[in-house]
Amino acid sequence: MSLISEARSVSDWVTSRPRAAAATSLLRLTIGLVSIFYYSRHYADRGLFFGPDGVYGTGMVRAQLGSSGSFSIYALTPSPLFFQVAFHLGLVIAVAVTLGIGGRPILALHYVFLWSLYMTNSSFMDGGDALVAAAIPFLLLTRCYTNFTLNGLRVTRSGHARPAGALISALNNTGVLLIAAQLSIVYLMAGLYKVQGRLWQDGTALYYILRVPEFFWPGITPLVFSQGWLLVIGAYGTVLVSIFFPVLVWFRAGRPVAVLSMVGFHIAIGLLMGLTSFALIMIAADTVFVSQHVDGLRLRVRSYARRTSQTFVRLSELIVRGGRVVP
């Protein structure tokens, strides 16, 4: 294949149609859910942790923002009323993002409010929050409101899906590629970093990680410890899959293997280490490599829900009419 043919093939892939719409929509939904959890988790003590008279206060927040070059709408004024309005508005916007209301303008506004809250007290941020902040700008390029919304897919008057133009497709696919590149870099660097550590080299890293009191789960952690071979396999498997993830996802046959391996890994750390938001965001982001399977599962669930709904409707009609259902 000539260089011109390869360039044309790449151009057609980028501009022909939006890719991974189901996966990016799932990622948007997950970001909304994780954000709601973040607001809810700190809701009772929001004034203490983020307020103008809290542990940091407006003056210290402004000083930190000045040194870092970042921003936060909470630093605009020390008014307690402004803080309460902004916090609750941010929570409402997070709900709207989850439900798919408002489109990408609301998603952009959500980024502003959420990042502002992060910068008011960054000590609460974990890996999941950092990934949310990094993923939203990429999602703004995509058609992440195509699926998993209250309104559903936008249609034309003829009832068919509105086709996307070359520019919209190119922007969407650029966002998808940026998300995929970010994931590949994160996994590769994490794997290379781990392989340099002695505990990962001898397979005992997971043992010592799970010995941390914050990660202890009564009844489950001791059971894991009793299976020493499982910890060793888990340690070596984590390093190998992380390093080879960027290679496997280049091949269609390798993508399900890579994604399922990392999904299992994230489920494990979510359950055993309590890193729930990090695990959910990474799992949702991983689906960009297998978006067709996500879309297929979505269609099957929708079909099952439709059949179930129709069954209940028929049963209700029979009950109303006084009919008798024969098994």
Side-chain angles (χ1 to χ4, degrees):
M1 181 181 294
S2 65
L3 183 60
I4 296 178
S5 298
E6 292 181 358
R8 185 180 295 113
S9 177
V10 172
S11 176
D12 290 342
W13 188 92
V14 172
T15 61
S16 60
R17 62 181 177 85
R19 312 279 175 168
T24 54
S25 298
L26 179 62
L27 180 56
R28 184 219 77 240
L29 170 66
T30 306
I31 285 176
L33 289 173
V34 168
S35 301
I36 291 174
F37 175 74
Y38 188 88
Y39 277 100
S40 303
R41 183 176 58 183
H42 303 299
Y43 186 83
D45 297 313
R46 59 189 181 281
L48 174 64
F49 294 143
F50 306 104
D53 299 319
V55 292
Y56 286 98
T58 304
M60 185 176 295
V61 170
R62 286 174 174 173
Q64 292 176 345
L65 294 175
S67 61
S68 65
S70 187
F71 72 92
S72 174
I73 60 174
Y74 293 97
L76 294 176
T77 172
S79 168
L81 176 61
F82 177 84
F83 165 76
Q84 294 294 341
V85 171
F87 187 93
H88 288 87
L89 182 57
L91 177 56
V92 171
I93 292 173
V95 174
V97 169
T98 305
L99 299 177
I101 299 173
R104 281 170 289 188
I106 292 297
L107 181 60
L109 198 60
H110 174 60
Y111 176 81
V112 172
F113 275 81
L114 189 63
W115 180 260
S116 296
L117 195 63
Y118 287 161
M119 292 298 99
T120 305
N121 190 340
S122 58
S123 61
F124 285 116
M125 289 184 69
D126 58 21
D129 301 320
L131 285 168
V132 167
I136 291 178
F138 299 153
L139 277 181
L140 289 173
L141 297 174
T142 70
R143 303 187 74 186
C144 59
Y145 281 82
T146 302
N147 300 302
F148 307 114
T149 69
L150 286 182
N151 297 329
L153 180 64
R154 293 185 179 92
V155 296
T156 62
R157 292 182 179 178
S158 62
H160 299 290
R162 181 178 300 169
L167 178 58
I168 293 177
S169 298
L171 289 173
N172 176 89
N173 297 336
T174 299
V176 171
L177 289 175
L178 288 172
I179 294 172
Q182 180 191 31
L183 286 173
S184 299
I185 293 172
V186 166
Y187 284 134
L188 178 61
M189 297 307 296
L192 293 177
Y193 180 79
K194 288 183 176 68
V195 80
Q196 299 177 58
R198 181 181 59 82
L199 297 181
W200 289 100
Q201 293 174 6
D202 60 25
T204 60
L206 293 182
Y207 172 83
Y208 289 104
I209 290 173
L210 295 179
R211 297 294 296 182
V212 177
E214 288 79 3
F215 299 153
F216 186 84
W217 189 2
I220 301 299
T221 304
L223 180 62
V224 175
F225 283 150
S226 66
Q227 307 295 326
W229 59 272
L230 188 61
L231 293 174
V232 175
I233 291 177
Y236 287 137
T238 298
V239 174
L240 290 175
V241 173
S242 296
I243 292 176
F244 288 103
F245 183 91
V247 178
L248 289 173
V249 295
W250 273 101
F251 305 97
R252 187 178 298 273
R255 291 171 193 169
V257 176
V259 171
L260 285 175
S261 299
M262 296 314 299
V263 166
F265 167 71
H266 291 306
I267 290 175
I269 66 172
L271 293 176
L272 297 177
M273 299 175 64
L275 301 176
T276 309
S277 63
F278 174 78
L280 289 175
I281 292 297
M282 290 300 291
I283 290 173
D286 285 341
T287 61
V288 299
F289 296 104
V290 289
S291 183
Q292 69 277 14
H293 298 292
V294 176
D295 198 40
L297 179 62
R298 178 186 65 85
L299 293 175
R300 285 194 292 271
V301 170
R302 174 181 289 185
S303 177
Y304 175 78
R306 186 183 297 112
R307 292 196 302 269
T308 303
S309 176
Q310 292 172 350
T311 300
F312 278 113
V313 169
R314 288 195 294 268
L315 288 175
S316 300
E317 291 175 349
L318 288 173
I319 293 174
V320 171
R321 295 172 182 174
R324 189 164 68 181
V325 180
V326 180

